[in-house]
Amino acid sequence: MRRRAFLAGVGAAGTAGLAGCGMVERMYGGGDGDDSDGSVTRVTVSTIDARGSDSGEITVPVEGSPTLVDAFATWCSPCKPALDNLAAARQQVGSDVVFVSSTNEPLTGDFGREDIAEWWADHGGEWTVAHDGNNSELFRELGRPSIPTAVLFDAAGQEAWRHTGIPETETVIDEIQSVTG
Amino acid sequence: MNRRSYLRAAMGAGAVGLAGCLGGEGVTTETETPSPYASADTYLDAPDLDGPPESYPWPAHGQSLPEVTLPDPLSGESVATTQFDRPTFVTFFYHNCQTTCPLLISGLQGVQATVADEGDPDSVAFLPISFDPQRDTADALVDYADRMRVDVDHDNWHFLRPADRERAKSVVQDTFGVRFQRTQPEDMDMYMFDHRGIVLLANGDGYVERSYRESFAWQDLYDDYEALREARA
Protein backbone atom coordinates (compact mmCIF):
# COMPACT_ATOMS: atom_id res chain seq x y z
CA MET A 1 0.00 0.00 0.00
CA ARG A 2 1.60 3.15 -1.15
CA ARG A 3 -0.75 5.72 0.24
CA ARG A 4 -0.16 5.62 3.88
CA ALA A 5 -2.25 7.08 6.59
CA PHE A 6 0.16 7.69 9.36
CA LEU A 7 -1.98 10.30 11.05
CA ALA A 8 -5.04 8.13 10.92
CA GLY A 9 -3.07 5.32 12.47
CA VAL A 10 -1.80 7.50 15.24
CA GLY A 11 -5.24 8.92 15.89
CA ALA A 12 -6.68 5.46 16.21
CA ALA A 13 -3.95 4.46 18.61
CA GLY A 14 -4.80 7.23 21.01
CA THR A 15 -2.52 9.96 22.26
CA ALA A 16 -0.29 10.71 19.37
CA GLY A 17 2.93 11.21 21.26
CA LEU A 18 2.55 7.91 23.02
CA ALA A 19 1.64 5.95 19.94
CA GLY A 20 5.13 4.62 20.00
CA CYS A 21 7.86 3.40 17.83
CA GLY A 22 5.85 0.57 16.39
CA MET A 23 3.77 3.16 14.65
CA VAL A 24 6.79 5.00 13.34
CA GLU A 25 8.45 1.86 12.13
CA ARG A 26 5.27 0.71 10.51
CA MET A 27 5.03 3.98 8.69
CA TYR A 28 8.47 3.50 7.24
CA GLY A 29 8.16 -0.21 6.91
CA GLY A 30 5.53 -0.40 4.24
CA GLY A 31 2.50 1.30 5.62
CA ASP A 32 0.09 -1.18 7.06
CA GLY A 33 -1.30 1.56 9.27
CA ASP A 34 -5.00 1.54 9.90
CA ASP A 35 -6.63 4.20 7.77
CA SER A 36 -10.03 2.59 7.72
CA ASP A 37 -11.74 4.86 10.21
CA GLY A 38 -10.43 8.00 8.52
CA SER A 39 -9.61 9.81 11.74
CA VAL A 40 -7.07 12.56 11.35
CA THR A 41 -4.88 14.29 13.88
CA ARG A 42 -4.36 17.92 13.05
CA VAL A 43 -1.65 20.03 14.60
CA THR A 44 -1.58 23.79 15.03
CA VAL A 45 1.70 25.55 14.43
CA SER A 46 2.66 29.18 14.83
CA THR A 47 3.16 31.02 11.56
CA ILE A 48 5.86 33.60 11.05
CA ASP A 49 5.78 37.07 9.55
CA ALA A 50 8.01 36.41 6.55
CA ARG A 51 7.98 36.56 2.77
CA GLY A 52 4.64 35.14 1.62
CA SER A 53 3.73 34.33 5.22
CA ASP A 54 1.75 36.10 7.91
CA SER A 55 2.11 35.91 11.66
CA GLY A 56 -0.59 33.76 13.26
CA GLU A 57 -1.48 30.10 13.38
CA ILE A 58 -2.29 27.36 10.93
CA THR A 59 -3.68 23.92 11.60
CA VAL A 60 -2.29 21.19 9.38
CA PRO A 61 -3.26 19.28 7.45
CA VAL A 62 -5.62 22.09 6.46
CA GLU A 63 -9.22 21.00 6.69
CA GLY A 64 -10.83 20.52 3.30
CA SER A 65 -7.70 21.19 1.28
CA PRO A 66 -4.73 19.16 0.13
CA THR A 67 -1.72 20.26 2.16
CA LEU A 68 1.97 19.92 1.50
CA VAL A 69 3.99 20.08 4.71
CA ASP A 70 7.72 20.69 4.35
CA ALA A 71 9.80 19.88 7.43
CA PHE A 72 12.97 21.97 7.19
CA ALA A 73 15.66 23.59 9.30
CA THR A 74 17.82 26.65 8.76
CA TRP A 75 21.00 24.58 9.35
CA CYS A 76 20.04 22.14 6.62
CA SER A 77 22.03 22.39 3.37
CA PRO A 78 19.74 20.23 1.20
CA CYS A 79 16.75 22.29 2.33
CA LYS A 80 17.62 25.02 -0.16
CA PRO A 81 17.44 22.86 -3.32
CA ALA A 82 14.42 21.09 -1.83
CA LEU A 83 12.73 24.46 -1.38
CA ASP A 84 13.59 25.42 -4.97
CA ASN A 85 11.91 22.30 -6.31
CA LEU A 86 8.86 22.72 -4.13
CA ALA A 87 8.58 26.33 -5.32
CA ALA A 88 8.82 25.24 -8.95
CA ALA A 89 6.11 22.65 -8.38
CA ARG A 90 3.93 25.18 -6.61
CA GLN A 91 4.13 27.47 -9.65
CA GLN A 92 2.58 24.68 -11.70
CA VAL A 93 -0.17 23.56 -9.34
CA GLY A 94 -1.37 26.98 -8.35
CA SER A 95 -3.60 27.34 -5.34
CA ASP A 96 -4.98 23.80 -5.37
CA VAL A 97 -2.79 22.84 -2.45
CA VAL A 98 -1.72 24.72 0.68
CA PHE A 99 2.04 24.73 1.25
CA VAL A 100 3.34 24.99 4.80
CA SER A 101 7.01 24.81 5.74
CA SER A 102 7.77 24.22 9.39
CA THR A 103 10.88 24.05 11.54
CA ASN A 104 11.19 22.82 15.11
CA GLU A 105 14.48 24.52 15.87
CA PRO A 106 14.62 25.80 19.45
CA LEU A 107 13.89 29.50 19.79
CA THR A 108 16.35 31.05 22.21
CA GLY A 109 17.88 34.40 22.97
CA ASP A 110 20.23 33.93 20.02
CA PHE A 111 17.79 32.55 17.51
CA GLY A 112 14.31 33.86 16.98
CA ARG A 113 11.44 33.97 14.55
CA GLU A 114 13.07 36.87 12.71
CA ASP A 115 16.05 34.63 11.97
CA ILE A 116 13.75 32.06 10.44
CA ALA A 117 12.10 34.85 8.40
CA GLU A 118 15.50 36.01 7.19
CA TRP A 119 16.54 32.50 6.14
CA TRP A 120 13.17 32.09 4.42
CA ALA A 121 13.57 35.26 2.36
CA ASP A 122 17.22 34.50 1.56
CA HIS A 123 16.30 31.05 0.30
CA GLY A 124 13.36 32.03 -1.86
CA GLY A 125 10.50 30.92 0.36
CA GLU A 126 7.18 32.34 -0.74
CA TRP A 127 4.44 30.61 1.26
CA THR A 128 3.44 30.04 4.87
CA VAL A 129 6.41 29.30 7.09
CA ALA A 130 5.86 28.19 10.66
CA HIS A 131 7.58 27.34 13.89
CA ASP A 132 6.63 24.06 15.44
CA GLY A 133 6.19 25.35 18.98
CA ASN A 134 8.45 24.29 21.79
CA ASN A 135 7.30 20.72 21.72
CA SER A 136 7.80 19.73 18.07
CA GLU A 137 4.25 18.45 17.99
CA LEU A 138 4.00 18.51 14.21
CA PHE A 139 7.47 17.03 13.77
CA ARG A 140 6.55 14.23 16.15
CA GLU A 141 3.23 13.66 14.36
CA LEU A 142 5.13 13.30 11.13
CA GLY A 143 7.18 10.52 12.72
CA ARG A 144 10.34 12.53 13.50
CA PRO A 145 11.51 12.51 9.89
CA SER A 146 14.93 13.37 8.57
CA ILE A 147 15.25 16.91 7.25
CA PRO A 148 14.09 17.89 4.69
CA THR A 149 10.95 15.81 4.35
CA ALA A 150 7.89 16.78 2.31
CA VAL A 151 4.57 15.18 3.27
CA LEU A 152 1.48 15.54 1.10
CA PHE A 153 -1.98 15.17 2.62
CA ASP A 154 -5.15 14.87 0.59
CA ALA A 155 -8.21 17.03 1.23
CA ALA A 156 -9.46 14.52 3.81
CA GLY A 157 -6.23 14.87 5.73
CA GLN A 158 -4.84 11.46 4.83
CA GLU A 159 -1.18 11.16 4.02
CA ALA A 160 -0.84 10.55 0.30
CA TRP A 161 2.91 10.78 -0.29
CA ARG A 162 6.14 11.68 1.38
CA HIS A 163 9.71 12.24 0.32
CA THR A 164 12.81 12.65 2.43
CA GLY A 165 15.65 14.52 0.79
CA ILE A 166 15.37 16.69 -2.32
CA PRO A 167 12.15 15.88 -4.18
CA GLU A 168 12.00 16.05 -7.97
CA THR A 169 9.78 18.90 -9.14
CA GLU A 170 7.89 16.67 -11.59
CA THR A 171 7.22 14.09 -8.89
CA VAL A 172 5.83 16.73 -6.57
CA ILE A 173 3.57 18.01 -9.34
CA ASP A 174 2.37 14.49 -10.20
CA GLU A 175 1.66 13.65 -6.58
CA ILE A 176 -0.21 16.89 -5.99
CA GLN A 177 -2.26 16.40 -9.14
CA SER A 178 -3.17 12.92 -8.00
CA VAL A 179 -4.80 14.33 -4.87
CA THR A 180 -6.35 17.39 -6.48
CA GLY A 181 -7.91 15.35 -9.25
CA MET B 1 15.62 8.01 46.69
CA ASN B 2 14.56 4.78 45.16
CA ARG B 3 15.09 5.12 41.46
CA ARG B 4 12.15 3.00 40.43
CA SER B 5 9.68 4.85 42.58
CA TYR B 6 10.89 8.12 41.13
CA LEU B 7 10.28 6.89 37.67
CA ARG B 8 6.78 5.71 38.46
CA ALA B 9 6.01 9.12 39.87
CA ALA B 10 7.39 10.78 36.80
CA MET B 11 5.50 8.49 34.48
CA GLY B 12 2.31 9.14 36.37
CA ALA B 13 2.78 12.83 35.79
CA GLY B 14 3.49 12.20 32.15
CA ALA B 15 6.91 13.78 32.52
CA VAL B 16 8.79 11.17 30.61
CA GLY B 17 5.96 9.74 28.60
CA LEU B 18 7.66 10.67 25.38
CA ALA B 19 11.07 9.52 26.41
CA GLY B 20 13.06 7.26 24.23
CA CYS B 21 10.73 6.55 21.37
CA LEU B 22 13.54 6.32 18.93
CA GLY B 23 14.61 3.91 16.31
CA GLY B 24 15.43 0.57 17.75
CA GLU B 25 14.57 1.34 21.33
CA GLY B 26 10.89 1.68 21.89
CA VAL B 27 8.88 4.12 23.91
CA THR B 28 9.22 3.81 27.64
CA THR B 29 6.08 2.33 29.07
CA GLU B 30 5.10 1.67 32.62
CA THR B 31 4.29 -1.96 33.22
CA GLU B 32 3.53 -4.02 36.28
CA THR B 33 6.33 -6.39 35.49
CA PRO B 34 9.81 -4.92 35.45
CA SER B 35 11.62 -4.86 32.15
CA PRO B 36 13.82 -7.91 31.69
CA TYR B 37 16.53 -5.41 30.95
CA ALA B 38 16.17 -3.39 34.15
CA SER B 39 19.53 -2.25 35.43
CA ALA B 40 20.72 -1.32 38.91
CA ASP B 41 23.08 1.21 37.34
CA THR B 42 20.53 3.45 35.71
CA TYR B 43 18.08 6.08 36.92
CA LEU B 44 15.62 5.83 34.06
CA ASP B 45 13.63 2.68 33.48
CA ALA B 46 14.70 0.49 30.61
CA PRO B 47 13.21 1.46 27.26
CA ASP B 48 11.53 -1.17 25.15
CA LEU B 49 14.43 -2.93 23.53
CA ASP B 50 14.40 -5.29 20.58
CA GLY B 51 16.68 -7.59 22.54
CA PRO B 52 19.13 -7.55 25.42
CA PRO B 53 21.27 -4.38 25.62
CA GLU B 54 24.36 -6.41 24.78
CA SER B 55 22.78 -7.44 21.46
CA TYR B 56 23.18 -3.87 20.18
CA PRO B 57 26.42 -2.98 18.40
CA TRP B 58 26.64 0.22 20.45
CA PRO B 59 26.26 0.57 24.22
CA ALA B 60 22.61 0.50 25.26
CA HIS B 61 20.65 0.86 28.49
CA GLY B 62 22.58 -0.16 31.60
CA GLN B 63 25.87 -0.78 29.83
CA SER B 64 29.07 1.05 30.64
CA LEU B 65 29.91 4.13 28.64
CA PRO B 66 33.27 3.26 27.08
CA GLU B 67 36.01 5.34 28.64
CA VAL B 68 38.12 6.95 25.95
CA THR B 69 40.34 10.02 26.17
CA LEU B 70 40.52 12.19 23.07
CA PRO B 71 41.83 15.64 22.23
CA ASP B 72 39.48 18.61 21.89
CA PRO B 73 41.05 20.38 18.90
CA LEU B 74 39.47 23.72 19.84
CA SER B 75 40.69 23.95 23.41
CA GLY B 76 43.75 21.73 23.06
CA GLU B 77 42.83 19.79 26.18
CA SER B 78 42.30 16.06 26.48
CA VAL B 79 38.83 14.98 27.50
CA ALA B 80 37.72 11.61 28.82
CA THR B 81 34.25 10.45 27.87
CA THR B 82 33.56 9.52 31.49
CA GLN B 83 35.02 12.54 33.25
CA PHE B 84 31.77 14.44 33.74
CA ASP B 85 29.76 13.82 36.85
CA ARG B 86 26.55 14.78 35.08
CA PRO B 87 24.37 13.64 32.20
CA THR B 88 26.57 13.37 29.12
CA PHE B 89 25.53 13.16 25.50
CA VAL B 90 27.92 11.43 23.10
CA THR B 91 27.48 11.30 19.34
CA PHE B 92 29.57 10.53 16.25
CA PHE B 93 29.79 12.82 13.24
CA TYR B 94 31.83 14.51 10.52
CA HIS B 95 31.27 18.08 9.51
CA ASN B 96 30.92 17.50 5.75
CA CYS B 97 27.93 15.24 6.38
CA GLN B 98 24.75 16.80 5.03
CA THR B 99 21.85 14.88 6.44
CA THR B 100 22.30 12.60 9.41
CA CYS B 101 25.04 14.43 11.32
CA PRO B 102 23.31 17.83 11.31
CA LEU B 103 20.31 16.07 12.87
CA LEU B 104 22.50 14.56 15.57
CA ILE B 105 24.33 17.80 16.25
CA SER B 106 21.15 19.88 16.14
CA GLY B 107 19.63 17.51 18.69
CA LEU B 108 22.47 18.21 21.09
CA GLN B 109 22.38 21.90 20.20
CA GLY B 110 18.69 22.05 21.08
CA VAL B 111 19.49 20.78 24.55
CA GLN B 112 22.50 23.08 24.88
CA ALA B 113 20.53 26.16 23.88
CA THR B 114 17.69 25.27 26.22
CA VAL B 115 19.84 24.67 29.31
CA ALA B 116 21.67 27.92 28.55
CA ASP B 117 18.35 29.76 28.48
CA GLU B 118 17.44 28.07 31.75
CA GLY B 119 20.70 29.28 33.28
CA ASP B 120 21.88 25.75 34.02
CA PRO B 121 24.49 25.02 31.36
CA ASP B 122 26.80 23.08 33.68
CA SER B 123 24.25 20.38 34.33
CA VAL B 124 25.08 18.49 31.15
CA ALA B 125 27.99 17.75 28.82
CA PHE B 126 28.12 17.22 25.05
CA LEU B 127 30.81 15.13 23.38
CA PRO B 128 30.47 14.82 19.60
CA ILE B 129 33.27 12.54 18.38
CA SER B 130 34.55 13.02 14.85
CA PHE B 131 35.35 10.04 12.64
CA ASP B 132 36.91 12.26 9.97
CA PRO B 133 40.05 13.64 11.63
CA GLN B 134 41.44 14.54 8.21
CA ARG B 135 38.84 17.22 7.44
CA ASP B 136 37.44 18.07 10.87
CA THR B 137 40.13 20.62 11.58
CA ALA B 138 39.78 23.15 14.35
CA ASP B 139 38.88 25.86 11.83
CA ALA B 140 36.33 23.64 10.12
CA LEU B 141 34.75 22.78 13.46
CA VAL B 142 34.52 26.44 14.46
CA ASP B 143 32.71 27.21 11.20
CA TYR B 144 30.51 24.17 11.63
CA ALA B 145 29.61 25.16 15.18
CA ASP B 146 28.69 28.60 13.95
CA ARG B 147 26.43 27.18 11.25
CA MET B 148 24.81 24.79 13.72
CA ARG B 149 24.56 27.55 16.39
CA VAL B 150 26.55 25.48 18.85
CA ASP B 151 28.23 27.43 21.65
CA VAL B 152 31.74 25.98 21.67
CA ASP B 153 32.89 28.70 24.05
CA HIS B 154 31.00 27.01 26.84
CA ASP B 155 32.93 24.14 28.30
CA ASN B 156 29.89 21.89 28.41
CA TRP B 157 30.61 21.24 24.70
CA HIS B 158 33.71 19.45 23.44
CA PHE B 159 34.23 18.35 19.90
CA LEU B 160 36.56 15.36 20.22
CA ARG B 161 38.80 14.26 17.39
CA PRO B 162 40.82 11.05 17.24
CA ALA B 163 44.41 11.68 16.15
CA ASP B 164 44.15 9.85 12.82
CA ARG B 165 42.02 7.49 10.73
CA GLU B 166 43.27 4.43 12.53
CA ARG B 167 42.42 5.86 15.92
CA ALA B 168 39.00 6.94 14.60
CA LYS B 169 38.26 3.36 13.53
CA SER B 170 39.49 2.04 16.83
CA VAL B 171 37.43 4.42 18.95
CA VAL B 172 34.23 4.93 17.00
CA GLN B 173 33.82 1.56 15.32
CA ASP B 174 35.60 -0.88 17.60
CA THR B 175 35.01 0.68 21.00
CA PHE B 176 31.62 2.36 20.52
CA GLY B 177 30.28 -0.03 17.88
CA VAL B 178 29.25 2.78 15.56
CA ARG B 179 30.04 1.56 12.08
CA PHE B 180 31.27 3.95 9.39
CA GLN B 181 32.60 3.38 5.90
CA ARG B 182 34.18 5.85 3.53
CA THR B 183 32.32 6.31 0.21
CA GLN B 184 32.89 8.31 -2.96
CA PRO B 185 29.53 9.48 -4.27
CA GLU B 186 29.49 9.83 -8.05
CA ASP B 187 27.84 13.22 -7.93
CA MET B 188 30.24 14.71 -5.42
CA ASP B 189 33.86 15.69 -5.58
CA MET B 190 34.66 14.59 -2.06
CA TYR B 191 34.43 11.47 0.01
CA MET B 192 31.56 10.94 2.39
CA PHE B 193 30.67 8.18 4.83
CA ASP B 194 28.02 5.56 5.21
CA HIS B 195 27.54 5.54 8.94
CA ARG B 196 25.14 4.89 11.75
CA GLY B 197 23.52 7.88 13.41
CA ILE B 198 23.69 7.28 17.14
CA VAL B 199 23.35 9.50 20.20
CA LEU B 200 24.14 8.12 23.64
CA LEU B 201 22.95 9.61 26.92
CA ALA B 202 25.10 8.51 29.86
CA ASN B 203 24.15 9.23 33.44
CA GLY B 204 27.29 10.70 34.97
CA ASP B 205 28.09 7.48 36.83
CA GLY B 206 29.51 5.93 33.67
CA TYR B 207 26.42 4.06 32.48
CA VAL B 208 24.31 4.50 29.38
CA GLU B 209 20.67 5.40 29.98
CA ARG B 210 19.54 5.83 26.39
CA SER B 211 20.89 5.18 22.93
CA TYR B 212 18.98 6.94 20.19
CA ARG B 213 19.04 6.26 16.51
CA GLU B 214 18.68 9.13 14.13
CA SER B 215 14.93 9.63 14.26
CA PHE B 216 14.27 12.01 17.15
CA ALA B 217 13.23 15.50 18.05
CA TRP B 218 15.66 17.48 20.17
CA GLN B 219 13.00 17.60 22.87
CA ASP B 220 13.20 13.81 23.16
CA LEU B 221 16.81 14.25 24.23
CA TYR B 222 15.92 17.12 26.51
CA ASP B 223 13.06 15.23 28.17
CA ASP B 224 15.33 12.30 29.02
CA TYR B 225 18.10 14.61 30.20
CA GLU B 226 15.63 16.45 32.44
CA ALA B 227 14.22 13.24 33.91
CA LEU B 228 17.75 12.02 34.53
CA ARG B 229 18.83 15.27 36.14
CA GLU B 230 15.86 15.22 38.47
CA ALA B 231 16.36 11.56 39.33
CA ARG B 232 19.97 12.24 40.25
CA ALA B 233 19.18 15.32 42.33
Side-chain angles (χ1 to χ4, degrees), chain A residues 21 25 104-105 136 140 144, chain B residues 21 23 149 215 218-220:
Chain A
C21 302
E25 286 169 3
N104 71 334
E105 293 166 84
S136 296
R140 286 169 155 162
R144 300 169 168 84
Chain B
C21 176
R149 295 193 297 279
S215 176
W218 66 266
Q219 290 95 339
D220 297 321

Side-chain angles (χ1 to χ4, degrees), chain B residues 10-223:
Chain B
M11 291 301 286
V16 293
L18 292 166
C21 176
L22 299 163
E25 296 188 20
V27 71
T28 306
T29 51
E30 185 182 11
T31 53
E32 291 303 318
T33 49
S35 163
Y37 310 124
S39 165
D41 298 313
T42 57
Y43 296 85
L44 306 181
D45 277 348
D48 282 345
L49 300 172
D50 295 333
E54 56 271 22
S55 68
Y56 287 80
W58 50 86
H61 182 79
Q63 294 189 295
S64 296
L65 179 72
E67 180 170 350
V68 176
T69 300
L70 293 166
D72 173 345
L74 271 55
S75 70
E77 61 192 307
S78 286
V79 174
T81 50
T82 53
Q83 78 180 48
F84 300 95
D85 181 25
R86 43 181 149 142
T88 301
F89 285 100
V90 180
T91 192
F92 310 89
F93 81 107
Y94 67 110
H95 92 273
N96 288 100
C97 171
Q98 295 194 354
T99 49
T100 301
C101 308
L103 272 176
L104 307 175
I105 299 296
S106 73
L108 271 54
Q109 186 270 339
V111 180
Q112 189 194 36
T114 305
V115 297
D117 262 19
E118 292 172 349
D120 198 14
D122 295 319
S123 60
V124 59
F126 306 95
L127 306 177
I129 300 176
S130 164
F131 47 84
D132 189 9
Q134 192 174 331
R135 292 184 301 194
D136 287 344
T137 63
D139 285 348
L141 292 174
V142 167
D143 289 346
Y144 185 61
D146 186 53
R147 177 155 72 87
M148 299 302 297
R149 295 193 297 279
V150 165
D151 180 6
V152 286
D153 292 331
H154 197 285
D155 67 3
N156 65 8
W157 187 286
H158 296 275
F159 284 121
L160 301 181
R161 189 186 64 197
D164 52 32
R165 288 175 69 176
E166 193 179 341
R167 175 77 169 146
K169 279 279 182 199
S170 161
V171 169
V172 176
Q173 191 151 291
D174 300 341
T175 302
F176 279 94
V178 176
R179 186 186 54 74
F180 65 95
Q181 180 74 45
R182 216 181 251 238
T183 63
Q184 181 61 59
E186 284 179 14
D187 56 347
M188 300 183 79
D189 55 5
M190 61 179 172
Y191 66 84
M192 303 293 278
F193 290 93
D194 272 340
H195 64 102
R196 283 208 171 99
I198 299 291
V199 173
L200 306 175
L201 171 60
N203 60 19
D205 304 335
Y207 292 93
V208 171
E209 297 277 351
R210 291 285 182 270
S211 47
Y212 312 87
R213 298 177 72 170
E214 53 206 65
S215 176
F216 56 77
W218 66 266
Q219 290 95 339
D220 297 321
L221 307 185
Y222 179 83
D223 290 347

Side-chain angles (χ1 to χ4, degrees), chain A residues 47-55 113-121 125-130:
Chain A
T47 58
I48 294 170
D49 181 13
R51 201 171 87 158
S53 176
D54 295 322
S55 178
R113 300 163 71 84
E114 64 282 3
D115 296 298
I116 298 171
E118 185 180 336
W119 184 94
W120 187 247
E126 50 194 14
W127 55 82
T128 299
V129 60

Side-chain angles (χ1 to χ4, degrees), chain A residues 55-75:
Chain A
S55 178
E57 287 184 343
I58 191 167
T59 300
V60 293
V62 174
E63 202 150 3
S65 169
T67 309
L68 190 138
V69 177
D70 161 45
F72 80 102
T74 61
W75 44 256

Side-chain angles (χ1 to χ4, degrees), chain A residues 65-126:
Chain A
S65 169
T67 309
L68 190 138
V69 177
D70 161 45
F72 80 102
T74 61
W75 44 256
C76 159
S77 311
C79 287
K80 164 62 177 163
L83 196 58
D84 289 344
N85 289 359
L86 291 177
R90 186 168 170 272
Q91 296 263 326
Q92 298 292 315
V93 298
S95 57
D96 292 343
V97 56
V98 177
F99 277 58
V100 180
S101 289
S102 178
T103 175
N104 71 334
E105 293 166 84
L107 299 181
T108 65
D110 296 329
F111 182 78
R113 300 163 71 84
E114 64 282 3
D115 296 298
I116 298 171
E118 185 180 336
W119 184 94
W120 187 247
D122 287 349
H123 289 73
E126 50 194 14

